[in-house]
Amino acid sequence: QVQLVESGGDLVQPGGSLTLSCAASGSIFSINSMAWYRQAPGKQRELVAVITSSGSTNSADSVKGRFTISRDNAKNTVYLRMNSLKPEDPADYYCNARSGTALTGEYDYWGKGTQVTVTS
């Protein structure tokens, strides 16, 4: 089992910055990748950015150049640095951890989410 706890959600103005944190605990040795998803009201949950155990990253086109995912292995924490926040960025942001492989079967763990609001 893996437990994920997000923090850092807040209300910011357009153009502002925010850093979300996700602390992992439990069977962290089983984690292959971690990611941030977001879900706005009435919309499907979408992938924002992902980081693998080797440190490779990828992000959605909508946030490329603005959001950066990173990890601190010593703290078992993944971060999402969000710059130049736009009115379309508000959502509940969820931390995800994926364990297992395509052969053995993959399993997703989720945090409870943290809310980001962008308003002037």
Side-chain angles (χ1 to χ4, degrees):
Q1 292 290 322
V2 174
Q3 293 79 43
L4 303 171
V5 178
E6 304 101 330
S7 61
D10 205 346
L11 186 153
V12 295
Q13 293 185 338
S17 297
L18 205 57
T19 298
L20 305 182
S21 301
C22 172
S25 60
S27 303
I28 57 176
F29 60 88
S30 69
I31 297 173
N32 292 322
S33 65
M34 293 189 70
W36 286 97
Y37 285 74
R38 67 185 180 185
Q39 187 168 19
K43 295 189 176 181
Q44 288 189 331
R45 190 172 295 189
E46 63 175 354
L47 176 66
V48 176
V50 59
I51 185 166
T52 67
S53 56
S54 62
S56 299
T57 64
N58 202 357
S59 58
D61 288 342
S62 59
V63 305
K64 268 187 171 64
R66 299 190 298 124
F67 292 10
T68 302
I69 189 170
S70 63
R71 64 193 299 164
D72 184 333
N73 290 330
K75 296 182 179 179
N76 299 322
T77 300
V78 172
Y79 303 96
L80 183 69
R81 176 65 178 176
M82 304 185 293
N83 294 326
S84 303
L85 282 160
K86 298 180 178 181
E88 57 262 37
D89 292 322
D92 290 325
Y93 282 71
Y94 296 91
C95 183
N96 164 273
R98 177 164 292 180
S99 66
T101 67
L103 274 177
T104 63
E106 294 175 324
Y107 190 84
D108 284 319
Y109 298 92
W110 295 94
K112 293 184 178 181
T114 186
Q115 190 173 58
V116 173
T117 303
V118 180
T119 181
S120 53

